[in-house]
């Protein structure tokens, strides 16, 4: 019982730490909380958490060929990930927040697009796998004496920890969104879109430079 609690606590911690760095997905969640509301933003976080869970499962299963593949094709993956990030940035930069104000409140909201976009944006950065390996080692998450129910509880806790992080972020951002007017939302769209675009261009340029000029 004590070892199970050990796994659950560390699983939650790993889930939070994987999600906490304020990278592209964090900025997207903040933007969607301000523009679309808390629910679509949280759906985006669910997609990101699912992606992180897949990478954690790959790490736990000891698929060495995955890490070998990433190390071998790191530059190509960096280029592809940068292109995906640039596409998100351009869409975000051109988004008009006033459209959301004219959408009927009773219109049905489907979270699948937000989940898929959050998943794709997070999954397009497989280098996070090495961060997960470091966290697993730091927290002694995989021990030989653990049984199947330890692993099942641990991975569920990682997913729960990630969801807890996105729940908390969307809650606090939603609380302060009333202080933003339409112009503020427009500026936030442009600022976050510009930051994401710069991040993607830097990654793309560095990836292309290292790929063509070893």
């Amino acid at each position: 019982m004590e070892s199970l609690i050990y796994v659950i606590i560390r699983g939650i911690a790993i889930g939070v730490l994987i999600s906490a760095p304020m990278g592209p997905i964090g900025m997207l969640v903040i933007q969607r909380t301000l523009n679309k509301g808390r629910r679509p933003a949280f759906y985006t976080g669910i997609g990101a958490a699912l992606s992180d869970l897949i990478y954690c499962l790959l790490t736990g299963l000891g698929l060495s060929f995955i890490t070998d593949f990433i190390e071998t094709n790191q530059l190509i993956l960096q280029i592809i990930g940068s292109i995906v990030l640039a596409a998100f940035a351009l869409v975000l930069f051109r988004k008009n927040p006033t459209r959301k104000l004219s959408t009927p409140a009773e219109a049905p909201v489907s979270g699948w697009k937000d989940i898929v976009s959050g998943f794709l944006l997070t999954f397009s950065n497989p280098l996070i796998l090495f961060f997960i390996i470091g966290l697993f080692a730091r927290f002694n998450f995989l021990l030989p004496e653990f049984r199947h129910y330890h692993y099942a509880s641990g991975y569920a806790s990682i997913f729960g920890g990630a969801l807890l992080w996105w729940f908390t972020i969307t809650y606090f951002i939603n609380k302060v969104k009333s202080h933003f007017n339409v112009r503020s939302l427009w500026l936030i769209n442009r600022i976050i879109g510009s930051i994401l675009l710069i991040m993607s261009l830097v990654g793309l340029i560095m990836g292309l430079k290292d790929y063509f000029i070893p």
Side-chain angles (χ1 to χ4, degrees):
M1 185 64 182
E2 183 179 346
S3 61
L4 184 60
I5 297 175
Y6 169 97
V7 171
I8 291 174
I9 292 175
R10 281 158 176 76
I12 293 174
I14 290 172
V16 171
L17 290 172
I18 293 173
S19 306
M22 192 49 64
I25 188 64
M27 294 183 182
L28 184 62
V29 167
I30 290 175
Q31 185 272 337
R32 283 184 174 170
T33 306
L34 294 173
N35 283 264
K36 300 172 68 175
R38 188 181 177 193
R39 183 179 297 180
F42 184 64
Y43 285 152
T44 305
I46 291 176
L50 287 172
S51 174
D52 291 335
L53 179 61
I54 290 176
Y55 280 127
C56 286
L57 287 170
L58 291 175
T59 302
L61 291 172
L63 298 181
S64 59
F65 72 90
I66 294 290
T67 55
D68 292 340
F69 174 80
I70 292 175
E71 287 179 343
T72 304
N73 300 279
Q74 180 173 343
L75 296 177
I76 295 177
L77 293 172
Q78 181 178 339
I79 292 170
I80 294 174
S82 297
I83 293 173
V84 172
L85 181 57
F88 275 99
L90 291 173
V91 170
L92 188 58
F93 192 83
R94 299 180 60 182
K95 226 175 207 358
N96 183 3
T98 59
R99 285 186 179 181
K100 298 300 175 185
L101 299 180
S102 60
T103 303
E106 64 273 10
V109 177
S110 173
W112 286 111
K113 287 177 62 177
D114 297 309
I115 291 175
V116 170
S117 62
F119 178 88
L120 290 177
L121 183 57
T122 308
F123 200 73
S124 66
N125 180 28
L127 300 180
I128 194 175
L129 191 65
F130 297 107
F131 179 50
I132 293 172
I133 292 173
L135 287 176
F136 276 25
R138 169 63 182 82
F139 286 97
N140 293 321
F141 186 70
L142 303 174
L143 296 177
E145 62 266 24
F146 284 170
R147 307 180 71 108
H148 290 93
Y149 63 85
H150 288 105
Y151 290 118
S153 302
Y155 289 119
S157 300
I158 290 174
F159 186 68
L163 292 184
L164 177 63
W165 171 261
W166 296 122
F167 180 89
T168 303
I169 287 295
T170 54
Y171 175 82
F172 282 111
I173 297 298
N174 191 59
K175 283 293 184 182
V176 301
K177 69 179 273 188
S178 59
H179 298 288
F180 295 90
N181 55 30
V182 174
R183 178 169 175 77
S184 299
L185 296 178
W186 179 83
L187 286 173
I188 289 172
N189 275 6
R190 292 298 177 93
I191 291 171
I192 294 180
S194 299
I195 293 173
L196 294 180
L197 187 58
I198 291 171
M199 292 171 64
S200 66
L201 290 177
V202 169
L204 184 60
I205 292 171
M206 292 179 64
L208 289 173
K209 180 178 71 69
D210 292 339
Y211 184 78
F212 289 106
I213 311 175

